[in-house]
Amino acid sequence: MKFSIERAVLLKAVAQAQSVVERRNTIPILANVLIEAEGDSVQFRATDLDIEVVDKASAMVERAGATTVAAVTLNEIVRKLPDGALVTLTEDGVKGRLTIEAGRSNFSLATLPKEDFPVMASSDYATNFAAPAPVLRRLFDKSKFAISTEETRYYLNGVYMHVATGEDGPALRCVATDGHRLARIDAALPDGASDMPGVIVPRKTVGELRKLLDDDDMQIAVSVSETKVRFATPNITLTSKVIDGTFPDYTRVIPQGNTRRLEVDASDFAKAVDRVATVSSERSRAVKLSLDEDRLVLSVNAPDSGAATEELAVAYDDERLEIGFNAKYLLEIASQVDRENAVFLFNSSGDPTLMREGNDTSAVYVVMPMRV
Amino acid sequence: MHDELWDLSIAHMDCDAFYASVEKRDNPELQDKPVIIGGGKRGVVSTACYIARIRGVRSAMPMFQALKLCPDAVVVRPRMDAYAEASRAVRALMDELTPQIEPLSLDEAFLDLTGTARLHGAPPAIMLARLVKRMKEELGLSGSIGLSHNKFLAKVASDLDKPRGFSVIGKAETVDFLKPKPVRLIWGIGPATQASLDKAGIHTIGDLHRWEKDQLTERFGQTGERLFHLARGEDFRRISPNAPVKSISKETTFFEDTSDPDVLDGHLWRLSEQVSARAKAKDKAGRVVTLKLKTKAFKTITKRQSLHQPTQMADTIYRVARSLYDAAGNTGPFRLIGVGISDLTAAQDADREGDLLDPDACRRANAERATDKIRAKFGTDAIKKGRALR
């Protein structure tokens, strides 16, 4: 195998590969990227056995062939090469070495046989549809903060992507929760998606997927089966197993009868929360919201370290209410609001609170209060 | 009279069949009946009163087995809050004797009464006798005292004449007393150490005397050095009331190795309740829950889970421990199971947030808290579960 490729193109492909590769590996081949050169392009394939990324880049292929080398090392080398360099990768098959040449730099990396590289079995995808990159970006960006990291509730360690009936008809919906907060994001259902089985897309996949979604004009081909999900651009294909579990019935969790309405400028609110939370010990960052006629007082009282209060002018005309929240959660949901005011709907100080942007019900957040 | 009686000042106080005694105190009808604490569908004995013990019932025994031995036993579900409350009352009495108290669990503690004779106008032995008398008269609970010159021997002594015992081990007879005793008398010798000691031909504490310190250390590592000293009745640990508590845990070794998930689940629940009660008594909450299992082959499996928020609730501890058990896969049979919490914080930071996906958890926690509060204010009897009134 021998091919030459532009440094920037190579870097993009290799960077994507090495982020999939697990840092601590007991199986050596899993630390490697499979490089396959044929025709006028080269494919870079990496996997952690749950996720597989295949990145195709155009190159001048002199001699077709395939091999595997350590993804992290290759990435480091390419990253350190000067911008604009032309990189030549050669593998003569006999010595078990891949040489990388650029200008006067010359590297030689140990290879492992391509036959040992585990290629993910293909799946029968029941559903195939196309979705614009910005739509997927919004669905996952606005929900991923609520993904649980608790391993015992593994079925919460991802975003539940499924078809649902939203306010404006059928929707492609993403839900994530860790039991303390929940995000429910809707988008118009793309053509061909109506039969999609609901799948829990793992946290790591969501992270990898994000790298495919930067280009606003891109259409992403989405394929879904009961066990796998695939996102593809013309050059990159991300295939992932989905979490084998049942996502809990989140609809029960979303309060329907909360009537006490608070409207506040999200950015002012977030800044105030951030300020008062400063005095609180890191472990129990509880912020108390005291609501009265068009007035919101945020306060933190940490016996060991100090106290803080801040008053905000808001729209609120219900009964007085005192309710506490984890400051981090308030900041996270407030930061999801980017266009209009944040609207909070409360019930009592012990019940889940709902938050949305203005009257837009296509992105709804639920947060559990804290005793203060 | 013992020659050293007025000189010894390190004591171990151990309540007699503590849970059962609290139940008998709170419900006099139980007084003359065999009482077993534990049960429900969980099916494990937590504590048995002395009447039930005469019939062979022991802690950690499966309930069906206990009831076979003692069919007329009254089975009472544990009320950990009541026990924590009683424990606090006992502690208050001990506090009057000395500030040097090191509680080991709800029902036992070390007391260092060194130098208190002038303050009280009476030697430690007298003060300890008064303590158990007051416990009986004021709290309706009996306890056994071990009095000696270090912690190891004080603890051994308190067990010599239970219940309502008062045993003394003086310096003069320490070695003669220990020599014929089996090595498992030494604190910290579990089945694993026991097995390797057996292999070395060490069965009694006297056998240990034949070994040099170097030989023991070489063979058993740090444990070896400890064994060398303890065999001679030397224990250099101090009673440290302020030693920061790093974790709270409870474990139990089974009568028979088991891989029965129902039995193990029963133990998990019982241990979680005990850990929770201790956490509540100490005003602590843990951020990490640990499950410990020991297999038949003495392999120890430890699984831990960090929590989103610290907890002291039995319910939460149990649920996490249970999920750790499920995740461990049933690789039994096991000979031991343990539950613990660590990364401790103040109780005020605990359990402040509910769980969206488990609204009942919030209600259960609120009920548990409300009960605790009322009991703290009006006493243990202010709230009783329906079954306690029958």
Side-chain angles (χ1 to χ4, degrees):
Chain A
M1 181 185 78
K2 183 174 183 182
F3 65 91
S4 300
I5 186 167
E6 203 196 321
R7 182 244 179 204
V9 177
L10 179 61
L11 181 60
K12 194 158 181 287
V14 174
Q16 178 100 40
Q18 66 97 31
S19 81
V20 171
V21 163
E22 284 291 340
R23 286 294 169 274
R24 280 185 301 264
N25 252 313
T26 44
I27 310 169
I29 191 90
L30 291 182
N32 282 15
V33 53
L34 172 64
I35 306 172
E36 294 168 296
E38 202 180 350
D40 56 1
S41 67
V42 181
Q43 274 197 43
F44 298 86
R45 187 187 295 263
T47 183
D48 66 358
L49 297 180
D50 289 326
I51 303 176
E52 184 190 70
V53 165
V54 183
D55 204 327
K56 208 172 178 185
S58 37
M60 289 165 281
V61 179
E62 218 168 283
R63 204 159 57 238
T67 190
T68 80
V69 285
V72 173
T73 319
L74 179 60
N75 180 58
E76 283 296 286
I77 289 171
V78 179
R79 196 172 58 79
K80 290 171 183 171
L81 289 175
D83 204 10
L86 186 72
V87 191
T88 304
L89 288 84
T90 317
E91 200 240 358
D92 61 18
V94 186
K95 283 186 287 181
R97 287 281 188 275
L98 177 77
T99 56
I100 303 150
E101 290 164 279
R104 295 184 187 179
S105 310
N106 190 309
F107 306 85
S108 166
L109 294 184
T111 62
L112 287 171
K114 60 176 190 290
E115 293 78 15
D116 294 353
F117 194 88
V119 174
M120 197 179 267
S122 59
S123 185
D124 286 331
Y125 293 105
T127 308
N128 296 284
F129 61 92
V135 168
L136 291 177
R137 200 163 64 208
R138 174 175 172 277
L139 283 171
F140 286 99
D141 278 1
K142 283 186 177 296
S143 57
K144 68 182 175 197
F145 73 90
I147 298 174
S148 169
T149 50
E150 223 179 289
E151 282 167 36
T152 45
R153 296 209 272 190
Y154 60 93
Y155 48 84
L156 298 181
N157 296 164
V159 169
Y160 181 44
M161 179 172 78
H162 61 295
V163 178
T165 308
E167 296 280 310
D168 308 318
L172 180 62
R173 176 175 283 180
C174 281
V175 177
T177 182
D178 64 357
H180 306 284
R181 53 263 165 83
L182 176 144
R184 188 197 77 188
I185 318 297
D186 286 354
L189 191 67
D191 287 343
S194 57
D195 293 330
M196 182 185 83
V199 286
I200 307 169
V201 184
R203 163 193 294 278
K204 186 175 174 186
T205 310
V206 172
E208 292 303 319
L209 168 63
R210 189 61 184 76
K211 295 170 192 159
L212 274 63
L213 304 176
D214 279 330
D215 187 345
D216 273 357
D217 299 326
M218 192 83 80
Q219 285 284 324
I220 309 294
V222 185
S223 307
V224 184
S225 76
E226 297 278 351
T227 55
K228 280 186 193 140
V229 60
R230 168 174 286 181
F231 300 92
T233 69
N235 290 328
I236 306 172
T237 304
L238 169 70
T239 311
S240 169
K241 290 182 188 163
V242 298
I243 293 173
D244 184 11
T246 308
F247 201 80
D249 178 12
Y250 64 86
T251 52
R252 296 180 303 131
V253 169
I254 297 171
Q256 303 297 329
N258 286 11
T259 51
R260 297 161 140 185
R261 187 178 197 274
L262 159 72
E263 189 167 339
V264 59
D265 180 281
S267 142
D268 290 352
F269 176 76
K271 281 179 196 152
V273 168
D274 196 21
R275 273 192 292 270
V276 294
T278 315
V279 296
S280 159
S281 65
E282 204 195 333
R283 294 217 139 173
S284 59
R285 304 212 310 152
V287 174
K288 185 163 82 180
L289 278 61
S290 309
L291 283 155
D292 203 350
E293 192 76 43
D294 289 347
R295 204 169 77 109
L296 166 64
V297 178
L298 297 167
S299 60
V300 170
N301 192 358
D304 295 340
S305 49
T309 59
E310 179 155 346
E311 198 176 315
L312 282 173
V314 297
Y316 181 79
D317 61 359
D318 212 301
E319 286 171 53
R320 289 172 62 103
L321 174 70
E322 288 198 343
I323 187 166
F325 293 101
N326 185 323
K328 180 169 160 256
Y329 299 165
L330 285 182
L331 287 175
E332 276 172 349
I333 63 168
S335 70
Q336 302 302 320
V337 174
D338 37 28
R339 290 165 292 121
E340 295 180 57
N341 283 340
V343 171
F344 288 85
L345 294 169
F346 303 98
N347 188 28
S348 80
S349 63
D351 294 314
T353 293
L354 190 139
M355 199 283 291
R356 64 178 191 233
E357 192 165 352
N359 288 322
D360 179 6
T361 53
S362 73
V364 166
Y365 305 91
V366 182
V367 59
M368 198 70 195
M370 209 173 173
R371 284 187 302 124
V372 281
Chain B
M1 200 187 78
H2 196 283
D3 284 346
E4 298 173 37
L5 185 61
W6 308 128
D7 305 326
L8 300 169
S9 59
I10 305 294
H12 179 252
M13 194 289 299
D14 195 358
C15 294
D16 302 324
F18 183 59
Y19 298 176
S21 303
V22 173
E23 294 300 340
K24 290 198 178 195
R25 178 193 71 182
D26 292 352
N27 183 359
E29 274 179 34
L30 299 174
Q31 203 59 46
D32 303 321
K33 294 179 181 146
V35 171
I36 296 175
I37 313 297
K41 58 179 175 159
R42 312 284 184 183
V44 187
V45 175
S46 229
T47 310
C49 77
Y50 281 91
I51 305 175
R53 286 189 198 189
I54 292 168
R55 314 272 279 275
V57 179
R58 295 286 178 269
S59 325
M61 183 180 272
M63 191 58 80
F64 74 90
Q65 202 179 332
L67 290 174
K68 212 180 275 173
L69 291 166
C70 190
D72 54 336
V74 181
V75 178
V76 182
R77 293 285 289 275
R79 297 181 300 144
M80 297 311 295
D81 299 323
Y83 311 147
E85 176 61 33
S87 173
R88 274 193 287 269
V90 173
R91 171 67 192 247
L93 293 182
M94 294 192 294
D95 280 337
E96 292 180 26
L97 263 58
T98 173
Q100 298 296 106
I101 299 172
E102 184 182 327
L104 291 178
S105 66
L106 283 183
D107 58 350
E108 54 176 321
F110 285 116
L111 296 95
D112 183 351
L113 285 96
T114 309
T116 61
R118 292 197 43 192
L119 172 71
H120 296 305
I126 299 284
M127 294 312 294
L128 290 161
R130 285 184 193 159
L131 168 70
V132 279
K133 188 159 173 277
R134 285 186 69 189
M135 279 169 56
K136 190 73 205 167
E137 288 171 1
E138 295 173 28
L139 306 174
L141 298 168
S142 73
S144 296
I145 300 286
L147 180 61
S148 190
H149 50 96
N150 63 41
K151 286 164 84 170
F152 164 52
L153 293 167
K155 187 157 163 68
V156 167
S158 72
D159 204 35
L160 289 177
D161 193 23
K162 269 175 111 26
R164 291 185 297 282
F166 195 117
S167 305
V168 177
I169 301 174
K171 283 184 176 156
E173 74 267 21
T174 295
V175 172
D176 289 337
F177 168 82
L178 288 174
K179 270 189 163 175
K181 298 279 184 294
V183 275
R184 65 167 176 279
L185 186 74
I186 294 174
W187 177 83
I189 297 201
T193 318
Q194 172 99 57
S196 56
L197 286 169
D198 278 346
K199 233 179 258 172
I202 300 171
H203 307 291
T204 66
I205 293 178
D207 293 337
L208 279 168
H209 281 253
R210 290 198 295 271
W211 290 60
E212 294 298 326
K213 191 153 128 187
D214 297 347
Q215 294 174 303
L216 283 173
T217 321
E218 194 177 315
R219 181 136 185 174
F220 303 103
Q222 276 199 334
T223 311
E225 187 174 345
R226 220 167 59 82
L227 290 175
F228 178 85
H229 289 295
L230 290 177
R232 284 157 181 78
E234 298 165 356
D235 179 3
F236 307 111
R237 293 174 300 158
R238 302 184 63 120
I239 289 178
S240 44
N242 299 321
V245 190
K246 291 207 175 98
S247 64
I248 297 172
S249 61
K250 282 277 176 186
E251 58 184 47
T252 199
T253 307
F254 308 130
F255 283 89
E256 280 170 33
D257 297 352
T258 180
S259 49
D260 181 340
D262 289 340
V263 171
L264 291 165
D265 187 67
H267 283 290
L268 279 179
W269 174 251
R270 189 175 63 89
L271 295 167
S272 301
E273 267 193 317
Q274 290 175 357
V275 168
S276 160
R278 255 180 95 182
K280 283 175 185 164
K282 285 175 192 285
D283 262 336
K284 293 283 181 197
R287 203 168 252 281
V288 173
V289 173
T290 308
L291 170 76
K292 181 174 161 189
L293 292 162
K294 198 177 270 182
T295 67
K296 205 175 158 186
F298 293 107
K299 190 185 159 215
T300 304
I301 303 166
T302 313
K303 301 269 171 198
R304 32 199 297 131
Q305 168 77 46
S306 290
L307 305 178
H308 163 81
Q309 60 176 343
T311 190
Q312 54 168 205
M313 294 290 165
D315 188 66
T316 311
I317 297 169
Y318 162 73
R319 274 156 204 269
V320 176
R322 173 70 213 212
S323 67
L324 287 171
Y325 166 76
D326 290 338
N330 198 342
T331 46
F334 300 110
R335 56 181 304 114
L336 173 148
I337 192 164
V339 173
I341 55 173
S342 55
D343 194 1
L344 301 181
T345 61
Q348 60 178 27
D349 292 337
D351 304 294
R352 298 170 71 176
E353 248 176 283
D355 188 336
L356 281 169
L357 301 170
D358 187 3
D360 284 347
C362 209
R363 268 197 287 276
R364 286 193 301 268
N366 284 338
E368 206 170 323
R369 265 193 290 272
T371 311
D372 288 352
K373 258 188 205 157
I374 291 167
R375 283 190 176 139
K377 203 165 175 184
F378 301 108
T380 310
D381 289 347
I383 286 196
K384 279 190 174 190
K385 295 249 161 76
R387 60 177 171 272
L389 298 172
R390 274 198 300 248

